[in-house]
Amino acid sequence: MNTYDLIMKKRNGEILSKEEIIYLVNGYTSGEIPDYQMSAFLMAVYFRGMNYEETTLLTMAMADSGDRLDLSGIKGVKVDKHSTGGVGDKTSLIVGPILASLGVPVAKMSGRGLGHTGGTIDKLEGIPGFQTSISEEQFISQVNNIGLSIVGQTANLAPADKKIYALRDVTATVDNVSLIASSIMSKKLAAGADAIVLDVKVGTGAFMKSVEQARLLAKTMVAIGTKAGRKTLAVITDMNEPLGNAVGNILEVKEAVECLRGQGEERLLKVSKILACYMLIAAGKAKDLEEAEKKVENAIKSGDALEKMKDFVNAQGGNPEYIEHLEKFERAKYSLAVSGRELMEHSDLCGELDEAYLASCDNQEIGMVSLILGGGRETKDSVIDLTVGIQLKKHLGDCIQKDDCVAILYGNDKQRLTNAKERFLNAYTLSANKIDKNPVVYEVITEKDL
Ligand code: URA
């Protein structure tokens, strides 16, 4: 077997065998196959695709490239969740405490943000003292004690994915269904949970721009999980604008806590609750959606989920007083408001109308606004500013008057704030006519839909 022949085989649209896929994954992980050959192979996959069988084999080879976490020391059905990536997505910080307060053990490994998307681990590091890197023994004993731990991914969990993902990022081969599905599922399978609930994002801030593409990705991942013996389902949710009001690490932690207090933004609460419901059902703690909804509502209303958040922060070295008193969090030095008038002037509607509707949002651009402010990474080694970000006051479909505040940008550098504002204004379009709001949840894909 040699790499040249396998690149040519895929370039010609042929199907690769198990041995061939393992040869490529192991060869690249060990350094025997160079970047230029793996890049050519990934581009061949990008254009020729892989069938379900090949995608599953690729996933398994990547999951087997490093350690597999053994969660057998944790009592109960362990349920994991994973989002395909978005802007303002802080659902793990809401869903984790809800589930743990309802007796479902959540042992979660999360990632950092890259490019325009945010990551749970960066957000948690906004809580003073919070440790995202703890030993495996501590991780397991914390889940047994309080029901929840969220940590950064260990270096040897699916190392093939780590290397291949970094290469995809610089070779324009990220947004391919087989490559995304195998990347996500290899990590989820290696992370050891019994059941997996996937949040597949669709829209301008997601890798999948249409519901058809998102459905294909969802089905591929559910098929892989099911084949690997894990109960797996996917919820397709909207990412045509940021999820919730806050974008930026500390701002998002605060918004997650507000949700746990029952005061969060409507769309964010809706996505968080539906994910929590399906996780509860997957864990066998609710027989149907109706029962799950009641339990999830009660976890918030009773204050149990909020208490669990404090226990979780405390257990990982963070100061729980910050959760009690959100005003304690560090803030950015400067803020800059965006008014309805400025948005209208930008879209040439000013002068013609006194009000307009927010019609569309280039959500990837909103992610870039946060990045410009310092809240995201341009390279893997960039140091991020946890205090900066965006607080939205209006959402798609809302009517805007000239004097309305549409958003407030927070930053520590005035020039960056000015640049970020220009980019923010470019990200939206307005309409003189009323606009229907996008659905929050599009579809749920289970094993039965395959
Ligand atoms: N998230 C991942 O972990 N991998 C991808 O390929 C895309 C999103």
Side-chain angles (χ1 to χ4, degrees):
M1 212 179 300
N2 75 68
T3 311
Y4 177 92
D5 290 343
L6 300 184
I7 296 170
M8 190 156 68
K9 199 168 172 186
K10 188 39 81 185
R11 188 202 68 185
N12 293 343
E14 292 174 48
I15 292 168
L16 299 181
S17 69
K18 180 176 177 178
E19 291 68 34
E20 289 167 338
I21 290 173
I22 291 174
Y23 172 88
L24 285 164
V25 169
N26 290 351
Y28 184 59
T29 311
S30 68
E32 280 153 50
I33 297 177
D35 282 351
Y36 55 82
Q37 280 191 308
M38 197 60 181
S39 305
F41 173 73
L42 292 170
M43 195 55 86
V45 171
Y46 189 89
F47 283 113
R48 290 299 196 163
M50 278 183 152
N51 64 20
Y52 267 166
E53 179 68 18
E54 287 175 295
T55 307
T56 305
L57 291 168
L58 178 62
T59 308
M60 296 307 173
M62 294 205 294
D64 287 335
S65 65
D67 300 335
R68 281 186 183 246
L69 208 61
D70 178 7
L71 299 184
S72 59
I74 299 171
K75 299 177 279 291
V77 180
K78 279 77 68 183
V79 187
D80 201 351
K81 100 164 240 300
H82 191 89
S83 150
T84 56
V87 182
D89 180 5
K90 66 284 289 172
T91 53
S92 291
L93 301 180
I94 301 162
V95 164
I98 291 176
L99 266 286
S101 76
L102 290 169
V104 178
V106 180
K108 186 160 170 46
M109 286 206 171
S110 288
R112 294 187 183 276
L114 186 66
H116 76 281
T117 64
T120 303
I121 291 302
D122 295 326
K123 291 168 202 178
L124 284 169
E125 286 179 353
I127 304 169
F130 195 97
Q131 298 301 310
T132 54
S133 172
I134 58 177
S135 71
E136 200 173 312
E137 295 74 49
Q138 243 181 306
F139 177 62
I140 291 185
S141 93
Q142 184 176 318
V143 179
N144 275 330
N145 290 335
I146 66 158
L148 172 63
S149 181
I150 304 180
V151 294
Q153 218 162 281
T154 57
N156 209 32
L157 194 97
D161 171 62
K162 213 172 198 174
K163 224 175 148 184
I164 293 172
Y165 190 86
L167 192 62
R168 287 166 57 211
D169 206 28
V170 293
T171 55
T173 50
V174 171
D175 51 340
N176 169 274
V177 167
S178 288
L179 297 178
I180 295 178
S182 55
S183 164
I184 291 175
M185 292 307 289
S186 63
K187 286 176 288 217
K188 293 292 105 181
L189 297 182
D194 305 304
I196 303 160
V197 172
L198 300 157
D199 180 6
V200 177
K201 303 288 187 193
V202 60
T204 55
F207 292 121
M208 299 292 109
K209 306 293 181 207
S210 70
V211 175
E212 289 70 35
Q213 282 180 317
R215 190 182 297 125
L216 181 61
L217 176 60
K219 283 189 174 183
T220 307
M221 292 196 288
V222 171
I224 294 169
T226 306
K227 201 157 185 182
R230 315 290 172 92
K231 195 177 174 65
T232 309
L233 68 86
V235 186
I236 300 177
T237 66
D238 188 68
M239 199 24 84
N240 281 300
E241 61 181 322
L243 187 58
N245 292 328
V247 181
N249 296 289
I250 286 179
L251 294 175
E252 291 191 43
V253 172
K254 288 162 92 171
E255 188 174 29
V257 173
E258 279 160 12
C259 274
L260 292 171
R261 290 177 180 167
Q263 299 155 357
E265 191 268 336
E266 198 185 323
R267 291 168 68 86
L268 171 60
L269 263 173
K270 193 162 178 184
V271 175
S272 304
K273 283 180 185 172
I274 195 139
L275 292 171
C277 284
Y278 280 110
M279 288 172 80
L280 208 55
I281 294 169
K285 296 274 184 183
K287 63 178 182 313
D288 55 25
L289 211 46
E290 197 185 336
E291 188 186 348
E293 272 166 8
K294 277 192 195 135
K295 288 191 169 183
V296 167
E297 287 291 345
N298 191 48
I300 297 175
K301 224 187 221 157
S302 63
D304 291 352
L306 184 63
E307 277 310 305
K308 192 56 78 176
M309 178 72 167
K310 289 184 210 158
D311 293 347
F312 159 59
V313 166
N314 194 33
Q316 277 183 239
N319 184 346
E321 281 190 25
Y322 280 71
I323 306 305
E324 188 75 50
H325 303 284
L326 294 179
E327 67 283 0
K328 276 183 176 277
F329 275 99
E330 195 186 340
R331 291 157 170 260
K333 261 195 281 184
Y334 309 112
S335 65
L336 193 58
V338 181
S339 69
R341 179 185 305 278
E342 286 168 309
L343 258 189
M344 287 187 205
E345 279 171 359
H346 220 76
S347 72
D348 299 329
L349 279 182
C350 205
E352 295 168 32
L353 298 164
D354 289 330
E355 58 180 37
Y357 293 87
L358 268 189
S360 75
C361 165
D362 183 340
N363 199 10
Q364 184 159 332
E365 276 298 289
I366 301 298
M368 294 310 289
V369 169
S370 173
L371 195 138
I372 291 170
L373 290 168
R377 280 185 191 79
E378 286 174 54
T379 69
K380 273 201 307 206
D381 302 320
S382 304
V383 176
I384 58 177
D385 185 339
L386 297 167
T387 61
V388 303
I390 307 158
Q391 198 72 43
L392 295 168
K393 304 286 181 189
K394 296 284 177 186
H395 291 275
L396 292 186
D398 285 351
C399 183
I400 296 187
Q401 315 280 328
K402 287 182 180 168
D403 290 338
D404 282 342
C405 175
V406 176
I408 302 175
L409 310 185
Y410 293 94
N412 287 309
D413 180 307
K414 286 188 175 167
Q415 187 56 50
R416 279 180 182 240
L417 268 170
T418 308
N419 298 345
K421 182 167 175 176
E422 188 60 26
R423 202 119 175 202
F424 183 92
L425 289 167
N426 283 332
Y428 284 92
T429 64
L430 298 178
S431 165
N433 303 316
K434 202 170 181 335
I435 298 282
D436 287 338
K437 288 194 178 261
N438 287 319
V440 186
V441 176
Y442 292 88
E443 276 174 38
V444 178
I445 304 285
T446 69
E447 203 184 323
K448 292 193 194 108
D449 301 301
L450 300 178

mmCIF file of all heavy atoms in Angstrom, residues 82-84 161 165 168 174 179-180 183-184 187 207, ligand 1:
data_model
loop_
_atom_site.group_PDB
_atom_site.id
_atom_site.type_symbol
_atom_site.label_atom_id
_atom_site.label_comp_id
_atom_site.label_asym_id
_atom_site.label_seq_id
_atom_site.Cartn_x
_atom_site.Cartn_y
_atom_site.Cartn_z
ATOM 1 N N HIS A 82 -22.835 17.657 22.100
ATOM 2 C CA HIS A 82 -21.817 18.344 21.294
ATOM 3 C C HIS A 82 -22.500 19.240 20.277
ATOM 4 O O HIS A 82 -23.461 18.843 19.637
ATOM 5 C CB HIS A 82 -20.935 17.321 20.566
ATOM 6 C CG HIS A 82 -19.732 17.958 19.941
ATOM 7 N ND1 HIS A 82 -18.546 18.114 20.626
ATOM 8 C CD2 HIS A 82 -19.529 18.499 18.723
ATOM 9 C CE1 HIS A 82 -17.670 18.716 19.843
ATOM 10 N NE2 HIS A 82 -18.244 18.970 18.679
ATOM 11 N N SER A 83 -21.957 20.448 20.155
ATOM 12 C CA SER A 83 -22.488 21.366 19.145
ATOM 13 C C SER A 83 -21.504 21.408 17.981
ATOM 14 O O SER A 83 -20.291 21.310 18.181
ATOM 15 C CB SER A 83 -22.640 22.744 19.791
ATOM 16 O OG SER A 83 -22.467 23.745 18.819
ATOM 17 N N THR A 84 -22.028 21.554 16.774
ATOM 18 C CA THR A 84 -21.123 21.603 15.616
ATOM 19 C C THR A 84 -20.442 22.972 15.505
ATOM 20 O O THR A 84 -19.637 23.179 14.608
ATOM 21 C CB THR A 84 -21.872 21.275 14.303
ATOM 22 O OG1 THR A 84 -22.966 22.178 14.165
ATOM 23 C CG2 THR A 84 -22.362 19.845 14.289
ATOM 24 N N ASP A 161 -7.454 13.339 14.929
ATOM 25 C CA ASP A 161 -8.376 14.436 14.594
ATOM 26 C C ASP A 161 -7.711 15.786 14.833
ATOM 27 O O ASP A 161 -7.868 16.716 14.041
ATOM 28 C CB ASP A 161 -9.673 14.337 15.414
ATOM 29 C CG ASP A 161 -10.514 15.587 15.215
ATOM 30 O OD1 ASP A 161 -10.925 15.823 14.061
ATOM 31 O OD2 ASP A 161 -10.717 16.358 16.165
ATOM 32 N N TYR A 165 -7.577 18.099 11.817
ATOM 33 C CA TYR A 165 -8.403 19.311 11.884
ATOM 34 C C TYR A 165 -7.550 20.554 11.628
ATOM 35 O O TYR A 165 -7.957 21.460 10.886
ATOM 36 C CB TYR A 165 -9.114 19.427 13.243
ATOM 37 C CG TYR A 165 -10.144 20.531 13.214
ATOM 38 C CD1 TYR A 165 -11.436 20.277 12.755
ATOM 39 C CD2 TYR A 165 -9.827 21.830 13.571
ATOM 40 C CE1 TYR A 165 -12.381 21.292 12.669
ATOM 41 C CE2 TYR A 165 -10.758 22.850 13.486
ATOM 42 C CZ TYR A 165 -12.035 22.575 13.044
ATOM 43 O OH TYR A 165 -12.967 23.569 12.946
ATOM 44 N N ARG A 168 -6.972 20.740 7.967
ATOM 45 C CA ARG A 168 -8.192 21.155 7.250
ATOM 46 C C ARG A 168 -8.411 22.656 7.376
ATOM 47 O O ARG A 168 -8.857 23.317 6.436
ATOM 48 C CB ARG A 168 -9.409 20.411 7.818
ATOM 49 C CG ARG A 168 -9.459 18.953 7.418
ATOM 50 C CD ARG A 168 -10.474 18.202 8.267
ATOM 51 N NE ARG A 168 -11.797 18.769 8.183
ATOM 52 C CZ ARG A 168 -12.691 18.738 9.183
ATOM 53 N NH1 ARG A 168 -12.412 18.154 10.326
ATOM 54 N NH2 ARG A 168 -13.876 19.278 9.029
ATOM 55 N N VAL A 174 -12.596 22.249 5.675
ATOM 56 C CA VAL A 174 -13.362 22.040 6.916
ATOM 57 C C VAL A 174 -14.801 21.630 6.611
ATOM 58 O O VAL A 174 -15.304 20.649 7.150
ATOM 59 C CB VAL A 174 -13.329 23.301 7.825
ATOM 60 C CG1 VAL A 174 -14.311 23.149 8.983
ATOM 61 C CG2 VAL A 174 -11.933 23.521 8.383
ATOM 62 N N LEU A 179 -15.962 14.770 6.706
ATOM 63 C CA LEU A 179 -14.830 15.199 7.536
ATOM 64 C C LEU A 179 -15.307 15.795 8.864
ATOM 65 O O LEU A 179 -14.705 15.548 9.910
ATOM 66 C CB LEU A 179 -13.943 16.180 6.764
ATOM 67 C CG LEU A 179 -13.266 15.588 5.504
ATOM 68 C CD1 LEU A 179 -12.450 16.645 4.764
ATOM 69 C CD2 LEU A 179 -12.376 14.396 5.864
ATOM 70 N N ILE A 180 -16.399 16.549 8.840
ATOM 71 C CA ILE A 180 -16.926 17.105 10.099
ATOM 72 C C ILE A 180 -17.471 15.973 10.968
ATOM 73 O O ILE A 180 -17.183 15.883 12.161
ATOM 74 C CB ILE A 180 -18.037 18.159 9.845
ATOM 75 C CG1 ILE A 180 -17.475 19.386 9.114
ATOM 76 C CG2 ILE A 180 -18.671 18.589 11.159
ATOM 77 C CD1 ILE A 180 -18.518 20.447 8.780
ATOM 78 N N SER A 183 -14.716 13.891 12.468
ATOM 79 C CA SER A 183 -13.960 14.678 13.448
ATOM 80 C C SER A 183 -14.714 14.720 14.787
ATOM 81 O O SER A 183 -14.164 14.410 15.845
ATOM 82 C CB SER A 183 -13.757 16.091 12.885
ATOM 83 O OG SER A 183 -13.365 16.989 13.879
ATOM 84 N N ILE A 184 -15.983 15.091 14.713
ATOM 85 C CA ILE A 184 -16.768 15.211 15.954
ATOM 86 C C ILE A 184 -16.978 13.845 16.603
ATOM 87 O O ILE A 184 -16.737 13.654 17.795
ATOM 88 C CB ILE A 184 -18.126 15.899 15.660
ATOM 89 C CG1 ILE A 184 -17.882 17.373 15.312
ATOM 90 C CG2 ILE A 184 -19.087 15.761 16.841
ATOM 91 C CD1 ILE A 184 -19.126 18.139 14.896
ATOM 92 N N LYS A 187 -14.063 12.110 18.502
ATOM 93 C CA LYS A 187 -13.821 12.640 19.853
ATOM 94 C C LYS A 187 -14.904 12.173 20.818
ATOM 95 O O LYS A 187 -14.633 11.822 21.957
ATOM 96 C CB LYS A 187 -13.800 14.171 19.822
ATOM 97 C CG LYS A 187 -12.525 14.718 19.193
ATOM 98 C CD LYS A 187 -12.542 16.220 19.074
ATOM 99 C CE LYS A 187 -13.471 16.704 18.009
ATOM 100 N NZ LYS A 187 -13.093 17.836 17.229
ATOM 101 N N PHE A 207 -21.199 25.841 9.929
ATOM 102 C CA PHE A 207 -20.538 25.231 8.768
ATOM 103 C C PHE A 207 -21.579 24.795 7.737
ATOM 104 O O PHE A 207 -21.333 24.824 6.541
ATOM 105 C CB PHE A 207 -19.695 24.026 9.196
ATOM 106 C CG PHE A 207 -18.508 24.409 10.028
ATOM 107 C CD1 PHE A 207 -18.336 23.919 11.310
ATOM 108 C CD2 PHE A 207 -17.553 25.285 9.526
ATOM 109 C CE1 PHE A 207 -17.238 24.290 12.075
ATOM 110 C CE2 PHE A 207 -16.453 25.658 10.281
ATOM 111 C CZ PHE A 207 -16.295 25.156 11.560
HETATM 112 N N1 URA B 1 -16.107 20.681 15.189
HETATM 113 C C1 URA B 1 -15.218 19.662 15.177
HETATM 114 O O1 URA B 1 -14.820 19.153 16.219
HETATM 115 N N2 URA B 1 -14.773 19.221 13.985
HETATM 116 C C2 URA B 1 -15.183 19.735 12.814
HETATM 117 O O2 URA B 1 -14.755 19.270 11.776
HETATM 118 C C3 URA B 1 -16.096 20.804 12.842
HETATM 119 C C4 URA B 1 -16.562 21.253 14.043
#
